[in-house]
Amino acid sequence: MCDVYSFGVVLLEMLTGQRALEEDRSKHEERDIVKWARPHIKKHEWRAIIDPTIVEEFPEKLAYRAFLIAYHCTRTDSHGTARPAMPVVVRGLECTLNLAFVAPRPRHE
């Protein structure tokens, strides 16, 4: 399950353009990307933290699905059972990517 969490962190890095740990130079403390991003995702405010270059490349629905996958991968509880297994994560990403690359159907005239 640790690998699933790490994958979620990497996915958040890719989606936000932020590092896993950022040093806030004004406060001399580190900011954890998971603690920073989760409230935005949970409140459906993920658009505020997405890397602007992602918005140009992917439809909003696909970016949102990727954020949800990252959210589930980085869930925490005392038993570690809240995170999905990696095969489930892979299937979720495959479904998301398949939606991105579905070719338009030819019109019959």
Side-chain angles (χ1 to χ4, degrees), residues 49-60:
I49 62 170
I50 193 169
D51 183 342
T53 58
I54 298 278
V55 175
E56 297 168 6
E57 298 292 325
F58 294 100
E60 187 175 291

Side-chain angles (χ1 to χ4, degrees), residues 11 60-70 92-93 95-96 99:
L11 190 54
E60 187 175 291
K61 184 176 183 177
L62 300 180
Y64 176 66
R65 284 179 175 228
F67 268 110
L68 285 180
I69 291 169
L93 287 173
C95 290
T96 300
L99 288 174

Side-chain angles (χ1 to χ4, degrees), residues 40-41 49 57 59 63 74 76 98:
H40 294 285
I41 301 168
I49 62 170
E57 298 292 325
T74 57
T76 58
N98 286 338

Side-chain angles (χ1 to χ4, degrees), residues 6 27 32-33 46 61 65 71 89 101-102:
S6 297
K27 297 179 183 176
D32 177 345
I33 193 170
W46 58 273
K61 184 176 183 177
R65 284 179 175 228
Y71 179 83
V89 173
F101 297 110
V102 172

